[in-house]
Amino acid sequence: MNTQQPIIEAIQNGDLHALHHAIEDLLVSADANEQYEMADYLMNFGYLKQADEIYAHLVYLFPEEAQLKIDRATVLMELEAEDEALEMLMDVKEDAPEYPQALLALADYYQMQGLYEVAERHIDHAMELLPAEPLLLFAKAELMMEMGRLSEAARLYEEVYATDKEIAGVRIIERLADVHRQGGSYEEALHYYQHALKDTTSADLLFGAAYASFQAEQYEQAIRYLEDLKVFDPDYFAGYLLLAQSYAMQENNKKALEVIKEGITRDEYDKELYLFAGKMAIKNSLPEEAEAFLRQAIALDPEYMEAVLTLVSMLSNDERDEELIEIVEGLHTIDFEWSTLSTFAAAAYDRLEDYEKASKHYANAYQDHDDDALFLEKYVYFLLEDGQHDKAKEVAKKLNALQPEEQEWLDLLTRFDEQ
C-alpha cells in the first residue's frame, strides 16, 4: 500500500482533514525512511505542524538519532517554539558526527534572538571541528553581514566563492556585490553586479548595479540599468526615485521631473517621491506644481521635516507669511517642535508686525542657531528695534566672533560701549 500518495493528494486538494488522517496512516503503516521523506516533503510545502508531528514521532522511536533532533529543531524554530527547539539541539552529543550541524542550528537560534556574539561563538566552534566546510564559512559570512562587520563578511564570501558559487540557493557573487555596496565600496560592488548580471537578471540586481553606479558617480550607466529595470519590473518603486536623481545629477531636470511623476503614478503613497517631485518642479520653475507636491508629501507625513522645510522656505521667499505661520503653528498643536522653523516664523511675525510672537520665535530659534550668522543678523536688528539692548549686545558679540572681518559688528559693539 502506498501510504505517501494520500498525503500528496490531500496537499494538492488543500484538504487538511484528509491530510490529518493520511499522516496517521503513514505513522502506523510506513517505515521510518518513508516517514522521514514525507516530513521533508511537508516542510517544503509549508505544512510545518504536520512535518513536526512526523519528526516528533521519529525522535520518539529513535531518541539517539542526532539528525532527527536537528531536523525537528529546525521546524520548531519556524513554528516559533524556540525553547523546545533549543532543548532538542542541546541534546545532541558532542561526539556525534552531526554535532557541527547542531552548533550551526544553535547559531541560527541565537542569531534570531539577536544574540550575535553567542551565535558567532557557536559557528566558530563548528568551524574548529570542520575548518574547510563552505556552509560554515557562508553561515559566518551571513552573520557578519547582519552584524555590520562588512569587511570580514566580504573576506568570508570570497573564501566561499573560491570553491562554491551557490550555497542554500544563494548566489555568492550576489552576496559579494551586496556586501561591498553596503560597505561603501561601490566600484568593487559594481564589478560583482556586472558579473552577476551576465548569468541572470533580476530586479534587485539591476537596482543594486544602478545604485552602485550612482554612488560611483557613473550616472549614465546608472540610468541604463534603471531604464532596463523599468522595463523588467515597472512596479519596482525605488527605481523611479534613483532614476530621477540620476537625471538630476546630469542636470536634466525636465527628464527628472517626468520620471518622478511616473513613479508617483505607480506608488502614490511614497512621501519621498513627492518631495523630490517638489524639488524638481522648483528647478523647472513650476512653483505651483512644486507646492502641490510638497503639500502632498506633508499630508502623508505631517512631520516630514525636509518637505516641511522646503515648503516653508518657498513661502518665506514669497512672503506668504500667514500660510507659513499656519504650517508652523499647526505643527505645534501636535507637539512637533523644531527650532529651525522658528527662524522662519520669527521673520514672518516680524513682517506682520506681531512683535510679541516674533520675539518668542527668535528666542526659541536662538537656542540652536547661535552659530548661524544670517539668523543672528536678523535677530540683532530685531532686538535693537525692540529696545532689548543687552540681548542685542550679546548677539553682536557672537556675530563679531563668527565674522571678525565685518566692520559692522565692531561698530555696533563700539556704540554699545559708548552708551
Side-chain angles (χ1 to χ4, degrees):
M1 177 181 177
N2 186 346
T3 55
Q4 296 181 343
Q5 190 60 34
I7 293 178
I8 296 170
E9 291 177 359
I11 290 174
Q12 291 173 343
N13 296 329
D15 189 338
L16 292 178
H17 182 72
L19 180 59
H20 173 72
H21 287 292
I23 290 173
E24 284 186 337
D25 291 341
L26 179 83
L27 297 180
V28 172
S29 306
D31 63 33
N33 287 332
E34 289 179 303
Q35 292 176 20
Y36 188 79
E37 288 176 7
M38 289 313 299
D40 185 60
Y41 182 83
L42 288 161
M43 273 280 291
N44 291 334
F45 280 90
Y47 288 87
L48 302 180
K49 289 183 179 179
Q50 291 81 1
D52 181 57
E53 184 180 351
I54 297 174
Y55 282 132
H57 175 73
L58 290 170
V59 169
Y60 175 76
L61 293 177
F62 306 100
E64 299 303 316
E65 283 292 333
Q67 186 62 55
L68 290 174
K69 294 175 183 177
I70 295 168
D71 291 336
R72 188 175 183 218
T74 302
V75 178
L76 288 168
M77 280 194 275
E78 291 287 336
L79 291 169
E80 299 183 357
E82 290 91 352
D83 291 343
E84 197 173 352
L86 183 59
E87 185 180 337
M88 284 276 119
L89 294 171
M90 296 294 286
D91 201 36
V92 176
K93 293 180 172 58
E94 291 191 28
D95 59 356
E98 297 86 357
Y99 185 62
Q101 188 181 347
L103 288 170
L104 183 56
L106 281 166
D108 287 340
Y109 166 82
Y110 289 116
Q111 188 171 345
M112 287 168 57
Q113 303 301 315
L115 301 170
Y116 298 118
E117 292 182 0
V118 181
E120 184 179 1
R121 286 201 297 271
H122 281 79
I123 294 176
D124 286 344
H125 188 182
M127 291 174 69
E128 290 171 7
L129 299 172
L130 295 173
E133 173 54 50
L135 182 60
L136 295 176
L137 291 169
F138 174 73
K140 185 162 184 181
E142 294 280 279
L143 178 62
M144 296 299 99
M145 191 170 180
E146 188 170 339
M147 292 174 70
R149 289 160 58 178
L150 301 176
S151 60
E152 192 169 354
R155 178 184 62 77
L156 289 164
Y157 284 128
E158 288 281 7
E159 197 170 339
V160 174
Y161 190 62
T163 58
D164 292 80
K165 307 309 178 190
E166 184 174 315
I167 287 184
V170 176
R171 295 177 71 216
I172 306 304
I173 196 168
E174 294 185 24
R175 281 292 196 270
L176 281 164
D178 290 341
V179 75
H180 282 294
R181 176 165 64 97
Q182 289 185 34
S185 302
Y186 298 114
E187 292 186 0
E188 189 76 8
L190 183 57
H191 165 77
Y192 285 113
Y193 278 122
Q194 289 171 333
H195 278 276
L197 283 164
K198 289 178 181 178
D199 298 324
T200 187
T201 302
S202 72
D204 287 341
L205 277 176
L206 287 168
F207 182 81
Y211 184 86
S213 299
F214 181 90
Q215 295 296 339
E217 300 182 3
Q218 299 182 32
Y219 303 118
E220 191 63 43
Q221 184 165 251
I223 288 169
R224 287 198 299 272
Y225 283 126
L226 291 164
E227 291 289 1
D228 288 344
L229 176 58
K230 273 207 309 175
V231 175
F232 187 85
D233 184 357
D235 289 326
Y236 199 98
F237 302 140
Y240 291 94
L241 178 57
L242 188 59
L243 180 56
Q245 290 170 332
S246 300
Y247 279 119
M249 293 303 295
Q250 292 188 321
E251 298 186 3
N252 190 345
N253 296 323
K254 183 177 180 181
K255 184 65 176 177
L257 181 57
E258 176 188 320
V259 168
I260 208 67
K261 284 181 176 180
E262 186 181 354
I264 288 171
T265 64
R266 292 282 177 179
D267 183 7
E268 59 185 17
Y269 298 106
D270 187 338
K271 63 183 182 181
E272 292 187 23
L273 297 182
Y274 288 101
L275 171 62
F276 196 76
K279 291 180 176 180
M280 287 301 99
I282 291 171
K283 289 196 171 185
N284 281 284
S285 301
L286 300 168
E288 291 182 2
E289 278 194 38
E291 182 177 342
F293 285 128
L294 292 170
R295 287 189 182 276
Q296 184 58 43
I298 296 168
L300 290 169
D301 179 1
E303 298 181 11
Y304 191 13
M305 295 171 72
E306 192 174 355
V308 170
L309 180 59
T310 306
L311 179 57
V312 165
S313 298
M314 280 185 63
L315 298 175
S316 181
N317 289 336
D318 295 339
E319 296 191 4
R320 292 162 61 184
D321 297 321
E322 291 88 352
E323 294 172 71
L324 186 159
I325 288 167
E326 181 181 358
I327 291 173
V328 175
E329 299 298 352
L331 287 169
H332 286 165
T333 65
I334 59 173
D335 296 324
F336 179 79
E337 298 291 338
W338 186 24
S339 62
T340 299
L341 296 181
S342 283
T343 65
F344 293 98
Y349 277 121
D350 195 359
R351 288 190 292 265
L352 292 171
E353 300 182 2
D354 189 336
Y355 301 120
E356 182 179 348
K357 289 182 179 178
S359 180
K360 175 184 173 183
H361 280 282
Y362 270 124
N364 182 50
Y366 182 58
Q367 298 176 50
D368 297 322
H369 295 81
D370 61 352
D371 58 351
D372 182 343
L374 291 175
F375 167 73
L376 293 177
E377 182 178 348
K378 292 179 183 178
Y379 191 24
V380 74
Y381 285 115
F382 173 82
L383 292 168
L384 288 171
E385 289 289 330
D386 202 41
Q388 300 183 50
H389 295 287
D390 289 343
K391 190 69 173 178
K393 183 177 180 180
E394 175 191 320
V395 176
K397 286 181 178 179
K398 288 185 180 291
L399 277 165
N400 184 51
L402 289 169
Q403 299 177 331
E405 74 285 353
E406 286 290 336
Q407 187 64 37
E408 183 177 1
W409 314 132
L410 287 171
D411 293 342
L412 183 56
L413 288 170
T414 300
R415 289 203 301 272
F416 280 127
D417 291 338
E418 292 173 351
Q419 291 176 355

